């Protein structure tokens, strides 16, 4: 069973950097079609933060453009969200999402348990 595990959340200071990690595990052979980070702030709808396609194309939402970036480690089935110049409005639960192909399940979209990021001013 494929699982996504996020790490790196917690309390952060405004203006400082923080990096979230997401690792996929559970199958010896996985093809990751895309990675994405979503976030949901209290009382708000979930929003897409950024996405990396299988080809490596990266898109980030306008509200974090220039501050957040995504990267991946294909060899280790991992993906990262580098967050710079954090703002209090970045406070949210961040979710890792990946569409992963395995021989047993085909292409399935998985989601991690979420990691809380709280930015203090």
């Amino acid at each position: 069973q494929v699982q996504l595990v996020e790490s790196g959340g917690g309390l952060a200071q405004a203006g400082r950097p923080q990096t979230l990690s997401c690792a996929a595990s559970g199958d010896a052979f996985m093809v990751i079609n895309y990675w994405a980070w979503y976030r949901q702030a209290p009382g708000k709808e979930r929003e897409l933060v950024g996405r990396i396609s299988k080809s490596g194309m990266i898109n980030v939402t306008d509200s974090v453009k220039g501050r957040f970036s995504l990267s991946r480690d294909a060899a280790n089935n991992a993906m990262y969200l580098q967050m710079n110049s954090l703002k209090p409005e970045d406070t949210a639960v961040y979710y890792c999402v990946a569409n992963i192909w395995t021989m047993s399940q085909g292409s399935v979209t998985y989601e991690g348990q979420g990691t809380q990021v709280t930015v203090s001013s």
Side-chain angles (χ1 to χ4, degrees), residues 27-74:
D27 196 291
F29 182 72
M30 295 183 282
V31 177
I32 298 176
N33 294 312
Y34 68 81
W35 292 97
W37 285 100
Y38 285 79
R39 68 183 182 183
Q40 187 164 21
K44 294 189 177 181
E45 293 187 355
R46 182 178 292 200
E47 67 169 343
L48 175 66
V49 176
R51 184 179 185 272
I52 303 180
S53 72
K54 187 177 179 181
S55 65
M57 184 176 294
I58 299 173
N59 293 289
V60 295
T61 192
D62 286 345
S63 62
V64 305
K65 200 165 287 184
R67 299 190 298 122
F68 290 11
S69 62
L70 285 77
S71 60
R72 63 182 178 180
D73 180 350

Side-chain angles (χ1 to χ4, degrees), residues 69-109:
S69 62
L70 285 77
S71 60
R72 63 182 178 180
D73 180 350
N76 292 302
N77 293 320
M79 189 257 298
Y80 308 96
L81 178 66
Q82 293 89 38
M83 304 182 292
N84 296 311
S85 302
L86 281 166
K87 303 177 181 180
E89 50 263 43
D90 294 319
T91 295
V93 178
Y94 286 72
Y95 297 91
C96 173
V97 172
N99 183 272
I100 301 175
W101 180 90
T102 60
M103 190 170 291
S104 60
Q105 300 295 323
S107 291
V108 177
T109 299

